[in-house]
Amino acid sequence: MTLVCFVTGVGNATAKELSSTEALVNRLVEESQKHQKTRPGDPHDLLRQAETYAVELASDVSAYNHWMLQIIQGYVKKGQIEEAEYLVDRLPGYGSAQAHALLALHYARLHQADKTEPHLIAALKQVDQMSGLSAENLRSQCILALYHLGRKTQGDAEMGKLGRLSLLSLETELHMQGLVPAIKLLDAKRRLVSVPDQGEDERRARFLLACAEQQFVNGEPDLGKAFLEEIGMMSVQNGLPNAQRVLLDLARVARMGGQEQLAKKSLNLFLKCCEAYGDGADWKPIFMTDAVGVLLAWQQNDQAQEWLKQAEESMAKVFVLEAPAAYLAIAHQHEKLGQVQEADDLLLAALKAGASYKHPRARAEAEVRVCLYFSEAGRAMPAQISKFFSQATAEVAQ
């Protein structure tokens, strides 16, 4: 198995021992926690707690890496870069490559080339051993880092290794971050000629949105408006409203560019799409809370409250495995409104939902999510939630 050589301390194990999946998982858990005994810093830090709960996901390397990357990102956001650096090489499989790419991009955005370089080298070395979409996503992160450092030639060479759809997504990011010159609509349409219409309307629309936003940022409202009109034509011809998530970003960008009528129309259409879904649609409450976020940004708090209530009401039939993510999304909007108790009640509900599902992964993911939530919110866990964590830990230990 290729992941063996990347697990800290596993390289010297016997082939016989590593032939057992159970032995490998046990070793992963052991190694991931061994450093806690001598590790500096606060062991009660919320992100450190999240690490502990993430270990319960070790039997699923993909899930374990996903949440550990979220934890590393949490350390970066809080400015605890030493903690992030500490974890980079402690992820199994290609998780370490993803972590190196994450830190490379972080340092590159700060134009700290000396700190970027070792992470960039480590990420690119591993990505050449990978394949598929995960490899292309990782390579795209490295290219973004190179562009932030002004190393366009090297970045362009790496671009040649991307598939055309991943390349378009990367170009969308480059325009969003202002790392390439703004282009006019005609040039953008020429760029899209090689992208198939079928099934890729959302990807095409997001590219056009990024170009529009860049023009608005550059003080060119008329050029930006032309892109929005093109997306409108696409919606009529191809049924773009089915790519629902585009509508919310279209509303945001349109308002940014002073196109109030289009912004309201797009948001209302998004909300109508939400209403059309049955309450059993797992994504319905999350979509609604995304709209609430836009309404709050537009200072339309009364309408935001109404949709937040509908989002909560739609939770009744959500599949329990998906429930924690929805509860946290709703809690986040309550937090913005200063409704801390309501947020805490939902966070407790998320933990209970995770604990009610038979597979231990559901419990662990819910626990990690809640730790990350409080870390980002910058406040301590209330007693009711800390008590739940203590009880859950005791139950697992039995």
Side-chain angles (χ1 to χ4, degrees), residues 32-92:
S32 68
Q33 291 299 286
K34 186 169 64 176
H35 63 278
Q36 298 282 9
K37 297 177 182 179
T38 58
R39 183 175 173 186
D42 180 8
H44 302 295
D45 183 282
L46 286 163
L47 293 174
R48 288 280 285 274
Q49 291 182 47
E51 289 180 51
T52 302
Y53 295 119
V55 172
E56 297 177 40
L57 300 166
S59 59
D60 185 334
V61 173
S62 177
Y64 177 76
N65 281 338
H66 170 79
W67 289 108
M68 287 301 294
L69 287 166
Q70 297 297 311
I71 291 166
I72 290 173
Q73 184 67 65
Y75 280 127
V76 171
K77 287 180 179 178
K78 289 179 67 176
Q80 296 175 259
I81 197 67
E82 299 86 358
E83 296 281 6
E85 289 277 10
Y86 189 87
L87 293 173
V88 166
D89 288 315
R90 289 177 166 80
L91 273 62

Side-chain angles (χ1 to χ4, degrees), residues 304-331:
Q305 292 268 28
E306 292 175 10
W307 281 99
L308 196 54
K309 181 179 179 181
Q310 289 193 47
E312 291 186 56
E313 290 173 350
S314 72
M315 285 295 301
K317 297 182 180 180
V318 170
F319 180 43
V320 68
L321 188 59
E322 303 295 333
Y327 279 127
L328 264 75
I330 298 171

Side-chain angles (χ1 to χ4, degrees), residues 270-317:
F270 180 90
L271 292 171
K272 287 180 180 178
C273 288
C274 286
E275 286 182 315
Y277 290 124
D279 285 342
D282 294 336
W283 57 85
K284 182 174 182 177
I286 293 181
F287 274 16
M288 285 181 170
T289 54
D290 287 343
V292 170
V294 172
L295 288 165
L296 290 177
W298 294 0
Q299 297 183 334
Q300 297 178 12
N301 289 14
D302 290 343
Q303 191 177 359
Q305 292 268 28
E306 292 175 10
W307 281 99
L308 196 54
K309 181 179 179 181
Q310 289 193 47
E312 291 186 56
E313 290 173 350
S314 72
M315 285 295 301
K317 297 182 180 180

Side-chain angles (χ1 to χ4, degrees), residues 57-276:
L57 300 166
S59 59
D60 185 334
V61 173
S62 177
Y64 177 76
N65 281 338
H66 170 79
W67 289 108
M68 287 301 294
L69 287 166
Q70 297 297 311
I71 291 166
I72 290 173
Q73 184 67 65
Y75 280 127
V76 171
K77 287 180 179 178
K78 289 179 67 176
Q80 296 175 259
I81 197 67
E82 299 86 358
E83 296 281 6
E85 289 277 10
Y86 189 87
L87 293 173
V88 166
D89 288 315
R90 289 177 166 80
L91 273 62
Y94 292 118
S96 61
Q98 294 171 304
H100 278 296
L102 187 157
L103 283 183
L105 188 52
H106 166 71
Y107 286 126
R109 283 171 173 158
L110 298 175
H111 303 290
Q112 296 179 355
D114 57 332
K115 293 183 178 180
T116 304
E117 191 64 16
H119 292 295
L120 196 55
I121 291 172
L124 287 172
K125 181 179 180 180
Q126 291 193 53
V127 77
D128 286 332
Q129 303 171 26
M130 299 167 62
S131 61
L133 184 59
S134 59
E136 297 202 353
N137 290 339
L138 181 54
R139 194 180 299 279
S140 294
Q141 276 193 289
C142 292
I143 295 169
L144 284 172
L146 288 167
Y147 263 76
H148 275 287
L149 294 177
R151 291 158 58 177
K152 182 178 180 296
T153 301
Q154 185 181 355
D156 289 347
E158 294 293 334
M159 277 189 190
K161 303 173 185 178
L162 296 176
R164 60 181 180 179
L165 295 181
S166 292
L167 182 58
L168 182 62
S169 293
L170 172 62
E171 290 176 357
T172 299
E173 282 294 321
L174 290 170
H175 281 289
M176 285 181 66
Q177 298 182 36
L179 295 172
V180 292
I183 59 176
K184 295 183 179 180
L185 178 60
L186 181 59
D187 293 322
K189 291 172 72 172
R190 287 171 179 159
R191 170 64 188 88
L192 292 176
V193 168
S194 64
V195 181
D197 291 344
Q198 188 68 31
E200 294 301 331
D201 283 334
E202 180 177 355
R203 199 184 300 257
R204 293 161 61 87
R206 289 199 179 282
F207 175 71
L208 295 175
L209 270 178
C211 293
E213 186 169 357
Q214 189 176 19
Q215 293 289 4
F216 289 138
V217 170
N218 291 348
E220 298 287 351
D222 291 338
L223 295 178
K225 182 181 177 182
F227 284 97
L228 302 185
E229 291 173 346
E230 178 68 16
I231 296 171
M233 291 178 61
M234 288 172 59
S235 71
V236 173
Q237 296 171 359
N238 303 330
L240 182 61
N242 292 327
Q244 186 181 351
R245 293 303 293 264
V246 175
L247 293 170
L248 204 55
D249 286 327
L250 177 59
R252 179 183 56 80
V253 174
R255 195 169 197 270
M256 172 188 174
Q259 307 299 310
E260 294 289 342
Q261 185 175 355
L262 177 59
K264 292 178 181 177
K265 181 179 179 181
S266 300
L267 179 60
N268 288 336
L269 182 55
F270 180 90
L271 292 171
K272 287 180 180 178
C273 288
C274 286
E275 286 182 315

